[in-house]
């Protein structure tokens, strides 16, 4: 299996590896820098989901371009997008994963919601982007390519790879199980 990921960010590539290694231990995970088509800091669930879907579609196109001789059934595009979304009077984190297969079928999953601490939420609401905001607060360069905000606020109890990995595994699992009803009574 080839999983073409719409990012070259190591945390996202490792998340897809985490999501697929049990079923496909020899899977090839290939990342591509593609456009999400949304703001660098998605501000709603809809925008974050759109970013994940755009990344998955673009990664599949790039992967098929780079590996034109692969069996199309062995290739998936995967997009992961982190964003924020308002809920009540608070700002919450949101993560979307999208999987697109060669037939154009789409499978999405969402999760990892948590209230964003006020010291991070306020600068985001004022136009900042989560990664740079957190990096400046804690003095860790390029935090989004490392443990992410989740790793900082949980003191590495949860990191961005495991957070995104669980959601990616769900999206890939929905693709894998897409014909489940053929065995139902």
């Amino acid at each position: 299996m080839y999983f073409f990921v719409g990012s070259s960010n190591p945390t996202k590539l490792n998340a897809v590896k985490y999501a697929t290694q049990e079923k496909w231990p020899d899977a090839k995970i290939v990342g591509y820098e593609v456009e999400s088509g949304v703001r660098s800091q998605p501000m709603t669930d809809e925008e974050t989901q759109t970013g994940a879907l755009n990344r998955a579609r673009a990664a599949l196109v790039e992967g098929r371009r780079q590996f034109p001789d692969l069996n199309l059934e062995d290739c998936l595009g995967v997009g992961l997008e982190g964003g924020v979304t308002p809920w009540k009077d608070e700002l919450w984190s949101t993560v979307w994963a999208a999987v697109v297969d060669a037939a154009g079928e789409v499978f999405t999953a969402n999760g990892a919601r948590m209230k964003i601490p006020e010291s991070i939420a306020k600068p985001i609401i004022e136009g900042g982007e989560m990664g740079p905001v957190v990096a400046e607060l804690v003095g860790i360069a390029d935090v989004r390519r490392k443990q992410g905000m989740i790793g900082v606020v949980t003191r590495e109890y949860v990191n961005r790879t495991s957070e995104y990995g669980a959601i990616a595994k769900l999206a890939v699992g929905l693709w894998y199980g897409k014909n489940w009803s053929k065995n139902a009574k």
Side-chain angles (χ1 to χ4, degrees), residues 60 64 72 75-77 99-107 175 178:
L60 184 59
R64 290 173 62 189
L72 295 180
C75 303
L76 292 177
V99 170
V100 177
D101 64 18
E105 287 190 84
V106 174
F107 304 86
W175 168 82
K178 67 183 174 183

Side-chain angles (χ1 to χ4, degrees), residues 57-140:
R57 287 181 171 141
L60 184 59
V61 168
E62 290 301 318
R64 290 173 62 189
R65 182 176 296 138
Q66 183 178 358
F67 301 97
D69 296 331
L70 290 178
N71 179 346
L72 295 180
E73 293 178 11
D74 294 334
C75 303
L76 292 177
V78 181
L80 296 163
E81 191 77 20
V84 298
T85 192
W87 190 65
K88 297 185 180 181
D89 291 332
E90 302 166 337
L91 195 61
W92 283 63
S93 67
T94 185
V95 177
W96 280 88
V99 170
V100 177
D101 64 18
E105 287 190 84
V106 174
F107 304 86
T108 58
N110 171 244
R113 293 185 182 270
M114 61 169 266
K115 180 183 173 191
I116 298 172
E118 184 63 29
S119 61
I120 298 170
K122 188 174 185 301
I124 291 171
I125 291 168
E126 293 171 351
E129 187 179 341
M130 186 178 300
V133 166
V134 174
E136 185 175 319
L137 280 172
V138 297
I140 299 173

Side-chain angles (χ1 to χ4, degrees), residues 6-180:
S7 177
S8 64
N9 184 324
T11 59
K12 292 182 179 183
L13 296 173
N14 287 331
V16 174
K17 182 176 182 178
Y18 165 86
T20 60
Q21 68 186 355
E22 188 177 317
K23 180 70 180 160
W24 299 280
D26 297 325
K28 303 293 184 230
I29 313 295
V30 184
Y32 298 98
E33 275 306 310
V34 299
E35 293 296 322
S36 68
V38 299
R39 292 179 279 190
S40 58
Q41 179 57 71
M43 297 298 288
T44 65
D45 260 321
E46 294 80 9
E47 187 177 9
T48 309
Q49 181 188 37
T50 297
L53 183 54
N54 289 344
R55 287 180 184 280
R57 287 181 171 141
L60 184 59
V61 168
E62 290 301 318
R64 290 173 62 189
R65 182 176 296 138
Q66 183 178 358
F67 301 97
D69 296 331
L70 290 178
N71 179 346
L72 295 180
E73 293 178 11
D74 294 334
C75 303
L76 292 177
V78 181
L80 296 163
E81 191 77 20
V84 298
T85 192
W87 190 65
K88 297 185 180 181
D89 291 332
E90 302 166 337
L91 195 61
W92 283 63
S93 67
T94 185
V95 177
W96 280 88
V99 170
V100 177
D101 64 18
E105 287 190 84
V106 174
F107 304 86
T108 58
N110 171 244
R113 293 185 182 270
M114 61 169 266
K115 180 183 173 191
I116 298 172
E118 184 63 29
S119 61
I120 298 170
K122 188 174 185 301
I124 291 171
I125 291 168
E126 293 171 351
E129 187 179 341
M130 186 178 300
V133 166
V134 174
E136 185 175 319
L137 280 172
V138 297
I140 299 173
D142 210 11
V143 72
R144 66 178 151 207
R145 295 178 71 87
K146 298 175 184 168
Q147 71 271 42
M149 186 261 305
I150 190 74
V152 169
V153 301
T154 67
R155 293 188 306 153
E156 288 290 328
Y157 188 78
V158 178
N159 63 41
R160 196 170 186 218
T161 296
S162 60
E163 174 190 33
Y164 280 44
I167 299 160
K169 188 170 186 174
L170 180 54
V172 172
L174 291 169
W175 168 82
Y176 181 74
K178 67 183 174 183
N179 294 322
W180 68 270

